[in-house]
Amino acid sequence: AKQSGRATMRVFEPRMDIELQARKALEYDLRQALARNQLEVHYQPLVELENGRIAGVEALARWRHPEHGLVPPSSFIPLAEDTGLIVGIGEWVLRTACAQAAAWPELRVAVNLSPIQFRHSELVETVRQVLVDTGLAPHRLELEITESVLLHDAAAAREILTALKETGVFIVMDDFGTGYSSLGYLNSFPFDKIKIDKSFISDLSAEKSNAIVRSVIGLGQSLNMITTAEGVETPEQVEFLLREGCEQVQGYHFGRPIPADAMTTLIGGWTND
Ligand code: C2E
Ligand code: CA
Ligand code: CA
Ligand code: CA
């Protein structure tokens, strides 16, 4: 078995080299991306289901690579996390999104935080400083975190979340249901909002997902948290969520992520309605 293992290695080695090289090249490019102004933040509307009003936007990172075009976050966020570059990139996204939101009327802005940023001791101070520098009222900032943050070191996570909460920002449990969801987390950490992952919404025609979404909405209501459904694409999904009392929705049915300028235009039209 050992020997055939070696033979297999030999066959695949050249390809692994190419993949590794491509990754190294991308990592090299990503290191320059911030300094070369290749990163952008796009914004997707968060809509109040009851009245169709825009409650806020989620800030989503984009990388405009000179050769590869627009690189989606799924291709560079994990790389940024592996290399630690996410700390600088995350701070840039936070600052850019807060500065942008300060120029928009009333809207909240939701920013994703990586678990790696969470392990970085400066996080709370960074958030405070960005709010001061940009003049954004703290209640207009929502920080989206995933369950993995809580898993790693629950005591440290609780301390950071509590300190963040004291700055006046909103804390959102993102991608709810996809991780090692423990209902206990919702109770023992200071969350203001639960975001139901789009995998459950796209699967709403199935009875199981249907039941899960319904109970998460009920859970949010009894814990006094706002529930948001992500990845809403069809009128049927809207109808279901409305019936179940979900407060906020986000998805292609209401609007895709778009650059800041386009969002400024959209907000103008929206608020004049
Ligand atoms: P997420 O936080 O779950 O963000 C929602 C993702 O769903 C976004 O993908 C958004 O474009 C997509 N989406 C929204 N509505 C729909 C819909 O109706 N249908 C479908 N199929 N998709 C929809 P995106 O922008 O590609 O981002 C992917 C993930 O990358 C995000 O998932 C988030 O985890 C991560 N990410 C993006 N920006 C940042 C960032 O600045 N920092 C960190 N740490 N992570 C980020
Ligand atoms: Ca998110
Ligand atoms: Ca998600
Ligand atoms: Ca996420």
Side-chain angles (χ1 to χ4, degrees):
K2 274 249 164 74
Q3 245 157 9
S4 74
R6 256 200 86 174
T8 311
M9 275 301 286
R10 213 176 295 138
V11 172
F12 284 108
E13 239 164 22
R15 218 192 92 210
M16 297 269 288
D17 272 355
I18 291 167
E19 274 172 15
L20 196 67
Q21 272 169 24
R23 202 186 131 88
K24 282 284 162 205
L26 204 64
E27 180 185 333
Y28 179 84
D29 290 350
L30 190 56
R31 282 187 193 281
Q32 326 285 320
L34 257 187
R36 295 187 177 166
N37 282 320
Q38 294 169 357
L39 293 184
E40 297 174 13
V41 180
H42 287 197
Y43 300 89
Q44 186 179 31
L46 294 158
V47 177
E48 281 172 34
L49 197 45
E50 212 171 42
N51 52 31
R53 273 198 223 128
I54 180 166
V57 293
E58 178 171 7
L60 295 158
R62 298 289 181 266
W63 178 15
R64 207 169 284 281
H65 190 284
E67 289 130 50
H68 307 316
L70 210 57
V71 183
S74 56
S75 308
F76 73 89
I77 295 286
L79 181 64
E81 288 177 329
D82 288 350
T83 52
L85 290 169
I86 192 66
V87 174
I89 291 174
E91 181 173 344
W92 181 84
V93 170
L94 178 71
R95 190 170 285 277
T96 303
C98 288
Q100 183 57 67
W104 286 330
E106 285 171 58
L107 295 191
R108 292 169 184 274
V109 65
V111 176
N112 293 284
L113 287 186
S114 159
I116 310 291
Q117 285 172 277
F118 240 80
R119 275 171 238 161
H120 195 76
S121 59
E122 237 96 282
L123 179 63
V124 179
E125 200 35 52
T126 299
V127 169
R128 256 193 217 120
Q129 195 58 51
V130 166
L131 288 170
V132 168
D133 294 346
T134 60
L136 186 74
H139 72 271
R140 293 180 58 197
L141 176 62
E142 301 186 352
L143 297 174
E144 301 198 350
I145 66 152
T146 52
E147 291 147 302
S148 58
V149 165
L150 314 177
L151 267 185
H152 181 68
D153 181 350
R158 183 174 294 105
E159 202 172 302
I160 296 172
L161 281 179
T162 305
L164 284 173
K165 194 80 206 149
E166 276 164 9
T167 69
V169 305
F170 259 49
I171 311 288
V172 183
M173 158 119 297
D174 201 3
D175 295 343
F176 189 72
T178 59
Y180 308 84
S181 308
S182 150
L183 297 182
Y185 286 155
L186 285 179
N187 232 343
S188 57
F189 293 92
F191 290 108
D192 300 291
K193 185 165 165 177
I194 311 172
K195 207 167 198 184
I196 308 171
D197 190 63
K198 60 174 178 286
S199 55
F200 298 103
I201 306 303
S202 65
D203 203 27
L204 266 184
S205 49
E207 220 164 286
K208 266 192 189 158
S209 291
N210 203 297
I212 290 172
V213 171
R214 178 177 293 134
S215 43
V216 174
I217 294 170
L219 194 66
Q221 284 165 345
S222 32
L223 293 175
N224 238 334
M225 294 173 192
I226 294 172
T227 43
T228 303
E230 169 194 89
V232 180
E233 297 183 347
T234 70
E236 290 76 23
Q237 291 164 351
V238 174
E239 215 168 285
F240 176 85
L241 293 164
L242 198 56
R243 205 166 51 230
E244 296 301 330
C246 182
E247 277 124 325
Q248 286 185 2
V249 278
Q250 174 184 4
Y252 295 168
H253 180 78
F254 299 94
R256 288 176 182 259
I258 50 177
D261 287 356
M263 185 51 80
T264 301
T265 308
L266 187 70
I267 291 165
W270 217 306
T271 43
N272 290 339
D273 276 354

